Amino acid sequence: MSEHAPAPADLINQLLGDMHLHGVEYRRIQTGPDFGLGFEFKPGHAYFHYIAVGSAVLRCDDGSEHVLTAGDAVFMPRGEGHALVSSQKQRVSPIDSFSAAPLSDSVAGVDTCPSTHAVPSAVLLYGRMAFDLGGMQGLSKLMPSVMLAGYNDAQFAGLLPLIDSMKREVCSGRIGFAGILARLADVIAAMIVRGWVERGCDDASGLVAALRDPRLARSLLALHDDPGRDWTVDTLAAESHVSRSVFAERFQSTIGVPPLRYVTQIRMHLATRWLSVNKLPIEEVALRLGYTSQAAFSRAFKRVNGQSPGASKRNRVA
C-alpha cells in the first residue's frame, strides 16, 4: 500500500469515533408467562433489548421472527417497528400503554407480572437510543434490521463480561443500578455496531467498499478531518494521488453519488447535529463548514434537508 494511503482500519477508526449513540429512554420490564410488548417505528433512533431472565420472541413488522433466550442482546439500528411476545400468537399492546415507575433520570420500571405470580417469568431491559453515525451515516441504511449478539456466540466474546454485568444489575436492584444499566446498554450497542464493521459489514457495498479502497480512503479521511475546507473534485483527487477523471469515476461508481454531492451531504449531516444537539448558533455552524455567508449556508441546508436551519432546529427541539 502506498505511503500516501491510510490503512482502511485508520479510516474506520476515524469514522467510528464520530459515532454518537445515547439512550433516550429505558425500561426495566418484568412480565408474567404471557406478554406482548409493541414498539413503533422511530426514524433516527435505534432499539436495544436484553433478555436477563426467561425468553421472548422478537416479531418484526417485516414478518421475520427471532427466538431470544436469557443472555441475548439485540440491536435494531433503523428503529423499525417490532414486538416482543411470549408466543407467536400473543396479542400485543404498545409499550407506552403500560404504567412505568421512575427508577432514575432515564430508566423506568414496568411490571406486567400478575400478582398471582410471585416470580416474574421474564425480566428484560429495553432501550430506545438516538443513533448518529456521523460521517458513516450511510452505513445505517446498509445495516441489517436486527443485529443479535447471542450469549454463546463466539464472535461477540468481548461482550460477555458486559452482558454478565448487565444481568447482575438488572436482577440485583442495587443502589444506582438503573444509571449503570443505561450506560452498559449504550456501550454494548456501540460494540455490536463496531463488530459488524470489523467483520466487513456483511460485504455491504458503497461506502464500505470505499473504506477498503486505498485510492479513495485518503480523500475520505481528509474530507472527514476537515469538512469546512474549500473542497473541489481536483483537491479531493489530489489527496488520492490520481487524476481528476479517474477519481470522479471511481468515487461515483463506488459510493453512488458525485464527490461534491457527498461533501454537501456530510456537511449538512454535521450541521443538523451541531444545531440540534450541540445547540451551536447558525452563523457558527456556517463558518465551521466553510460557507462564506449564513445565507449561502442556509440555501444549501434547505436544498438538502427541505427546510431552513432555523426551522430544523425548532422542529427538533419540539
Side-chain angles (χ1 to χ4, degrees):
M1 184 178 293
S2 166
E3 64 177 353
H4 297 296
D10 295 335
L11 183 54
I12 291 172
N13 287 336
Q14 170 83 11
L15 298 182
L16 276 181
D18 201 29
M19 181 173 71
H20 290 255
L21 192 156
H22 60 277
V24 175
E25 66 177 19
Y26 293 100
R27 299 286 186 268
R28 179 188 182 274
I29 304 172
Q30 296 186 156
T31 76
D34 301 313
F35 60 90
L37 310 171
F39 305 87
E40 64 179 350
F41 175 48
K42 289 284 187 180
H45 291 79
Y47 283 111
F48 174 84
H49 298 294
Y50 169 68
I51 310 298
V53 175
S55 61
V57 176
L58 172 65
R59 191 167 67 200
C60 301
D61 283 358
D62 63 7
S64 62
E65 293 185 345
H66 306 266
V67 177
L68 309 177
T69 57
D72 287 347
V74 177
F75 184 64
M76 304 181 69
R78 299 202 296 267
E80 295 178 344
H82 61 285
L84 289 176
V85 297
S86 54
S87 64
Q88 282 87 345
K89 296 183 179 180
Q90 182 65 35
R91 187 172 62 87
V92 173
S93 299
I95 185 64
D96 292 335
S97 68
F98 297 95
S99 59
L103 301 176
S104 73
D105 290 342
S106 59
V107 184
V110 174
D111 192 347
T112 68
C113 185
S115 58
T116 54
H117 291 69
V119 179
S121 299
V123 180
L124 56 99
L125 178 75
Y126 140 70
R128 178 166 61 87
M129 304 165 171
F131 185 42
D132 183 355
L133 277 172
M136 295 183 78
Q137 194 63 26
L139 282 182
S140 63
K141 298 177 182 178
L142 306 176
M143 289 180 177
S145 59
V146 175
M147 304 171 79
L148 174 62
Y151 186 78
N152 296 315
D153 194 336
Q155 66 180 334
F156 290 107
L159 284 177
L160 296 187
L162 292 175
I163 290 177
D164 282 334
S165 296
M166 178 165 280
K167 181 174 183 176
R168 287 194 297 270
E169 296 298 334
V170 168
C171 298
S172 70
R174 296 175 60 189
I175 294 174
F177 81 98
I180 292 174
L181 276 177
R183 290 179 175 85
L184 283 171
D186 290 349
V187 172
I188 290 173
M191 290 181 69
I192 291 174
V193 173
R194 184 183 67 178
W196 179 75
V197 173
E198 288 177 338
R199 294 193 306 276
C201 305
D202 298 332
D203 295 323
S205 59
L207 182 56
V208 179
L211 300 181
R212 299 171 178 167
D213 187 338
R215 290 174 294 180
L216 296 180
R218 184 176 176 83
S219 61
L220 285 170
L221 187 58
L223 168 60
H224 288 278
D225 271 342
D226 187 8
R229 181 176 165 184
D230 184 18
W231 291 107
T232 64
V233 177
D234 287 323
T235 56
L236 287 167
E239 293 287 345
S240 293
H241 297 278
V242 296
S243 70
R244 184 185 192 278
S245 59
V246 168
F247 174 80
E249 188 280 327
R250 183 66 178 172
F251 196 101
Q252 171 81 46
S253 63
T254 303
I255 295 184
V257 297
L260 296 187
R261 183 183 300 176
Y262 183 80
V263 171
T264 301
Q265 289 175 350
I266 292 300
R267 286 175 174 171
M268 294 306 106
H269 183 80
L270 289 172
T272 300
R273 179 200 297 170
W274 290 346
L275 290 169
S276 61
V277 178
N278 300 96
K279 313 298 184 187
L280 296 182
I282 295 174
E283 57 270 22
E284 182 176 346
V285 173
L287 183 63
R288 285 190 181 193
L289 293 176
Y291 288 90
T292 55
S293 69
Q294 185 174 323
F297 165 70
S298 296
R299 286 194 297 271
F301 189 96
K302 187 172 184 178
R303 185 170 63 250
V304 173
N305 296 315
Q307 58 184 340
S308 69
S312 174
K313 193 173 186 176
R314 289 192 298 271
N315 289 340
R316 285 179 173 265
V317 169

